[in-house]
Amino acid sequence: MKCDPCRSYLLNAEDPSHPIEPFQAHLEECAACREWQVRLLQIGVNVRRLPVPSSTAKPELIRQILHPPLPARPSPPQARSWKWRWLAGGAVAAAVLISCGAWLGNLLWNSVLGPAEGPQVQVRDNQGGQPPPQGGRPSRKEKPVPAIATGAKASDLLIARLIQCDLRLARANSPRKRALAVADLASHLERELQDLARIAGARPLEKMARVYDKVVREGVVPRCRAVPAGQRRQVLAPIIDRLAQAERNAQRLARQRPSAAPVLRSIAAAAGEGKKQLRDLLQQEA
Amino acid sequence: MLVVNPEVELIHRAQHSDRQAFARLVERYWQRLYRWLYRLTHDHHLAEDLAQDSFLKALAHLGTFRTEQSFPSWLFRIAHNNFVNNRRSGRKILHGFPEQLPAAQPDAGEEAMTREALVLLARAVGRLPVDYRAPFLLRTEEDLSFREIAAALQITEETARWRVFKARQKLMEVLGPQLELE
């Protein structure tokens, strides 16, 4: 037998380490083919040694499999729908204002901005068409936690507050801190959205979803771009992870809550787009 | 005495809504699926996304799985469909190769390559066309038979064999001369 058929056989074999008889006989006679076979096997062995980055997603997946979100609540009777809507809107706004407002207010007014003079704040896109509170410039005595309001005005106030916060976060004293702060804001908002999606209908979520999109698109991405090249990988990698997780969570929840699916998918899309842009940024740098 | 394959038992339990059993299947297959998807995408975030989604789809469609099928083959088929759909959707797939290589393993033995050769191997595998890379890795790294590879990739067994042949051939052309023998 010549060498070529033997080598072709080895390339074609399910297990090239155990050739069938005529080829085995050739290998015993031919040192060059034996050596060639060893090289082929070396490739197989060493492919298994190639590195794979560690993954952190498995525990989260298992957690979600073992503890799926609560099933959707039945819709209230039609006759009471206006009241439910009003209550849901109020509850959503209240929950978010308390949780986001306290956190953001504390962060912004006490830690980042302080009581000193702030910039002229302009709301760039007031979704509800309402003016920002107090014409944009908050007084020094303004409370970080706004009064609990209900209905559409509360949502508008929430939007205005969040966008104000987004702008004010830019006053953190380094690009890295600004990126991290605004990423925290996005994560916090996304978590609130996920929780609220489990108990509220789509309508109260829509405006908040737009805010989330805005925070990611106009907050997280530009601030991450501003991080110096040497720090980017370290700063951006965990933010990308969080956005990826947010995307997955929203997609999963959308499958489980068809009534809120369009809003949840828009949240997933916002997180996914942010993640993609940050990845591209890292990729360009590489 | 009837001996039940523990994996079949797990699948059977998972098919009867035992989430704990499915979680154990995830434990068992996560690394393999994630690793394969990472080698196809070279993007660990994307590989994680695809792996997670594949497991969730598997959970959703577990009722359609028949125990006479190969479970890894079925799971890799779902993952491959996800990967293909992702490519079609136009999301960017990176084509780099790993920047960092693991430290030399003490038990690597005589067949271990030098670090430089591993870099070359990573690069060469990364440059294989994905149609060759996917079956080659399923055969070499995941130890699937040609029949299982064919089922996973929805191709014929002969095509699976041919693609593995071509992948090995290309790697031998690139790497063969550089491999040092004891």
Side-chain angles (χ1 to χ4, degrees):
Chain A
M1 180 182 288
K2 291 187 177 177
C3 295
D4 281 349
C6 180
R7 292 180 185 188
S8 289
Y9 164 79
L10 291 173
L11 290 172
N12 206 32
E14 193 153 274
D15 181 4
S17 64
H18 292 97
I20 55 173
E21 185 45 50
F23 303 106
Q24 181 62 42
H26 175 77
L27 287 166
E28 281 167 13
E29 291 167 5
C30 176
C33 282
R34 269 203 311 278
E35 191 177 300
W36 196 91
Q37 181 195 25
V38 170
R39 290 180 199 272
L40 180 64
L41 296 176
Q42 262 195 335
I43 289 174
V45 168
N46 285 285
V47 161
R48 297 188 195 104
R49 294 181 62 223
L50 293 177
V52 181
S54 62
S55 162
T56 55
K58 184 178 74 175
E60 174 63 15
L61 174 64
I62 288 177
R63 190 188 64 74
Q64 285 170 356
I65 288 167
L66 295 178
H67 306 289
L70 294 172
R73 289 182 179 178
S75 303
Q78 198 59 34
R80 292 187 295 160
S81 63
W82 67 271
K83 191 173 177 183
W84 276 100
R85 243 178 255 161
W86 187 87
L87 286 172
V92 167
V96 175
L97 285 171
I98 290 168
S99 52
C100 286
W103 179 80
L104 291 169
N106 186 49
L107 176 69
L108 295 165
W109 270 266
N110 297 335
S111 306
V112 180
L113 194 63
E117 59 283 354
Q120 190 72 28
V121 177
Q122 292 181 337
V123 177
R124 288 168 289 175
D125 180 12
N126 187 342
Q127 303 286 350
Q130 300 285 326
Q134 307 300 320
R137 186 178 183 118
S139 79
R140 292 183 188 188
K141 291 177 185 171
E142 192 173 356
K143 297 279 184 189
V145 182
I148 295 173
T150 56
K153 287 194 180 230
S155 303
D156 293 337
L157 182 63
L158 171 65
I159 291 167
R161 288 250 182 251
L162 289 174
I163 296 174
Q164 272 186 331
C165 294
D166 174 29
L167 290 170
R168 282 158 183 248
L169 283 170
R171 300 202 73 199
N173 62 6
S174 72
R176 178 179 162 276
K177 284 183 184 172
R178 280 194 284 277
L180 292 174
V182 81
D184 281 346
L185 163 57
S187 294
H188 189 78
L189 186 53
E190 182 264 332
R191 278 196 298 273
E192 292 294 335
L193 279 161
Q194 303 280 348
D195 289 345
L196 289 167
R198 292 186 173 94
I199 58 167
R203 194 168 293 177
L205 291 173
E206 283 171 3
K207 283 187 176 177
M208 287 177 59
R210 285 200 290 269
V211 175
Y212 177 72
D213 176 66
K214 200 171 182 63
V215 168
V216 173
R217 198 159 29 86
E218 296 183 10
V220 176
V221 173
R223 278 158 185 77
C224 285
R225 282 212 176 95
V227 173
Q231 300 175 2
R232 263 192 202 150
R233 188 161 292 277
Q234 188 193 358
V235 174
L236 267 58
I239 296 176
I240 291 171
D241 281 340
R242 282 152 71 180
L243 288 169
Q245 195 60 53
E247 183 186 15
R248 284 194 293 263
N249 290 342
Q251 283 169 342
R252 196 162 304 125
L253 204 51
R255 287 194 287 270
Q256 291 157 357
R257 294 294 316 270
S259 62
V263 185
L264 288 163
R265 277 199 283 270
S266 75
I267 295 165
E273 181 58 27
K275 176 188 74 175
K276 179 179 174 299
Q277 291 197 25
L278 297 190
R279 274 186 196 161
D280 288 349
L281 191 61
L282 282 187
Q283 185 60 20
Q284 283 164 13
E285 190 179 293
Chain B
M1 193 175 95
L2 183 67
V3 179
V4 179
N5 179 341
E7 184 166 288
V8 172
E9 169 77 19
L10 280 178
I11 294 165
H12 189 69
R13 280 170 46 201
Q15 283 177 324
H16 288 81
S17 306
D18 182 343
R19 286 176 172 264
Q20 194 76 45
F22 190 76
R24 287 183 61 191
L25 289 169
V26 173
E27 285 281 2
R28 188 176 282 211
Y29 282 100
W30 172 269
Q31 186 58 23
R32 293 179 66 184
L33 206 65
Y34 163 70
R35 175 174 58 195
W36 184 64
L37 288 166
Y38 171 72
R39 300 244 191 270
L40 297 188
T41 61
H42 291 145
D43 179 334
H44 88 270
H45 294 293
L46 183 55
E48 279 184 338
D49 287 356
L50 293 173
Q52 270 204 340
D53 205 43
S54 303
F55 278 113
L56 290 171
K57 282 183 179 162
L59 178 61
H61 297 98
L62 202 57
T64 66
F65 175 77
R66 300 186 314 279
T67 45
E68 63 267 25
Q69 289 177 279
S70 152
F71 184 71
S73 182
W74 184 74
L75 194 57
F76 277 101
R77 178 172 173 166
I78 294 172
H80 185 252
N81 286 340
N82 265 353
F83 169 71
V84 170
N85 289 339
N86 184 272
R87 288 176 86 200
R88 284 190 189 136
S89 73
R91 279 178 66 179
K92 191 174 173 184
I93 304 279
L94 305 178
H95 289 287
F97 55 91
E99 291 165 13
Q100 295 180 340
L101 290 173
Q105 296 169 7
D107 58 347
E110 288 181 1
E111 289 168 321
M113 286 177 167
T114 63
R115 207 169 167 74
E116 293 72 23
L118 271 182
V119 171
L120 288 174
L121 177 63
R123 196 173 294 177
V125 172
R127 285 178 180 168
L128 285 174
V130 78
D131 282 349
Y132 296 163
R133 198 181 339 146
F136 169 74
L137 291 168
L138 288 177
R139 177 70 208 113
T140 305
E141 203 165 25
E142 308 309 334
D143 211 24
L144 264 59
S145 67
F146 285 133
R147 176 177 292 201
E148 288 174 312
I149 294 168
L153 304 181
Q154 294 163 273
I155 53 180
T156 66
E157 198 174 327
E158 271 317 296
T159 305
R161 189 182 286 274
W162 170 250
R163 290 182 184 179
V164 173
F165 173 96
K166 293 302 288 180
R168 285 173 176 161
Q169 191 180 44
K170 280 175 182 289
L171 292 175
M172 281 298 283
E173 281 168 16
V174 175
L175 296 168
Q178 312 206 35
L179 298 174
E180 289 178 11
L181 297 177
E182 289 291 313

